[in-house]
Amino acid sequence: MADRRSALDRIDTTVAHPARRYNYLLGGKDNFAADRASADAIEKGMPTIRLAAMENRYFLQRAVKFLAERGIRQFLDIGTGIPTADNTHEVAQRIDPAARIVYVDNDPIVLTHARALLTSTPEGVTAYIDADLREPRTILDDPEVRATLDWTRPIAVMLVAVLHFVRDDEDPQGVVDTILDALPPGSWVVASHSTWEYLPAEAIEQLEAANGDGRFQARTGEQLGRLFSRLDLIEPGVQSVARWWPEEASQPRPSIEDVAFNAIVGQVRARG
């Protein structure tokens, strides 16, 4: 109860937060006026932003299933967001009830919902920590993370719709490399990232106007690929979230222009 109370005390309802804005775009109710106003401003520039949010969610679920079916039993989900249906642990534990998952987010409202994220199967484990991707060592060195995940066995790191909140002046390459350096052999990374490369100039102008605090930074598919050049990407490399394993998704598939998110899934390259 004390943790929940302190988390509530830290919530600033006057400033939009990515997790709450994402919740609003997904049709959730755990958001405030500032989050809704921010999302509405983005929607003016990109009318299909709600579709993009849903496609990111579906991509995460397909990626977790893909990896779990290939024997991955540990997931570090950074930028978790407010719980919805089919969270990472639910997808993974349907395939293996013994799967272990750690969730990470820096929005205190997510902490107030952590109980929903911790409903593990009896055989498995889920944990949640309050931390920020921009400080990766804080995540990697956290006692809960170290205790929940076995760092001698492969881990899948989920970075879905979160890296675009790490600006270039905050060293996104350093953030990624710090995480990759810590991962055991055979580990994987799943990442998606907003891109404006498919959008018309007028839409980009509106989106830039909606990014008043400069927190958001879109990147091209080429830039996303460079961030993860140390991975062996599975085919087709950098691709729209809407085009990953489309046969397992609802049909017809949306266009890459409407979704405007790229993604990668790759395995950490063996050292040596």
Side-chain angles (χ1 to χ4, degrees):
M1 180 62 73
D3 284 348
R4 187 176 186 276
R5 182 69 260 164
S6 62
L8 288 170
D9 290 342
R10 288 166 45 212
I11 296 172
D12 184 351
T13 63
T14 67
V15 178
H17 190 283
R20 302 194 301 263
R21 183 170 56 214
Y22 195 56
N23 173 262
Y24 172 64
L25 292 170
L26 290 172
K29 298 178 180 178
D30 296 296
N31 47 75
F32 301 100
D35 308 308
R36 296 189 288 273
S38 175
D40 290 343
I42 294 170
E43 193 169 18
K44 287 181 180 178
M46 186 180 172
T48 57
I49 186 62
R50 293 175 187 269
L51 171 65
M54 292 300 300
E55 285 297 324
N56 260 283
R57 192 71 189 169
Y58 298 149
F59 164 70
L60 178 147
Q61 293 160 0
R62 295 199 302 276
V64 171
K65 181 173 182 287
F66 173 87
L67 293 177
E69 287 177 342
R70 285 154 181 78
I72 299 300
R73 297 294 178 261
Q74 303 188 108
F75 295 83
L76 179 58
D77 187 334
I78 304 175
T80 300
I82 296 166
T84 62
D86 277 349
N87 299 291
T88 296
H89 73 282
E90 293 165 316
V91 177
Q93 290 180 346
R94 274 201 294 269
I95 294 168
D96 186 343
R100 307 171 75 87
I101 295 89
V102 176
Y103 292 104
V104 182
D105 206 285
N106 71 342
D107 183 358
I109 202 171
V110 179
L111 179 57
T112 71
H113 292 272
R115 189 171 298 171
L117 294 172
L118 302 177
T119 53
S120 175
T121 58
E123 304 92 331
V125 179
T126 64
Y128 172 81
I129 69 166
D130 184 7
D132 194 311
L133 173 61
R134 291 169 292 180
E135 299 176 358
R137 283 260 49 109
T138 302
I139 297 171
L140 297 168
D141 295 338
D142 186 275
E144 192 81 19
V145 175
R146 306 306 299 187
T148 303
L149 304 178
D150 179 352
W151 290 79
T152 67
R153 302 179 62 193
I155 295 169
V157 175
M158 313 297 295
L159 296 169
V160 175
V162 65
L163 274 167
H164 44 234
F165 297 115
V166 182
R167 300 187 309 259
D168 282 347
D169 64 345
E170 294 171 322
D171 192 16
Q173 189 67 70
V175 168
V176 169
D177 287 344
T178 297
I179 293 171
L180 295 184
D181 287 343
L183 291 176
S187 292
W188 291 78
V189 175
V190 174
S192 69
H193 200 299
S194 181
T195 181
W196 289 347
E197 60 194 313
Y198 308 121
L199 301 180
E202 317 86 78
I204 294 173
E205 185 177 347
Q206 287 183 294
L207 290 169
E208 287 176 339
N211 187 32
D213 62 359
R215 170 46 52 203
F216 177 87
Q217 184 160 352
R219 294 183 175 93
T220 65
E222 181 181 356
Q223 289 171 316
L224 177 62
R226 285 204 300 269
L227 282 174
F228 293 100
S229 62
R230 293 172 56 188
L231 298 181
D232 289 325
L233 301 184
I234 63 170
E235 291 297 331
V238 179
Q239 180 58 279
S240 169
V241 295
R243 301 292 172 86
W244 277 110
W245 311 290
E247 65 280 357
E248 296 191 16
S250 60
Q251 304 295 329
R253 295 277 71 218
S255 70
I256 60 175
E257 291 82 7
D258 282 348
V259 175
F261 267 81
N262 287 316
I264 61 96
V265 177
Q267 192 166 33
V268 177
R269 192 173 296 126
R271 298 181 181 89

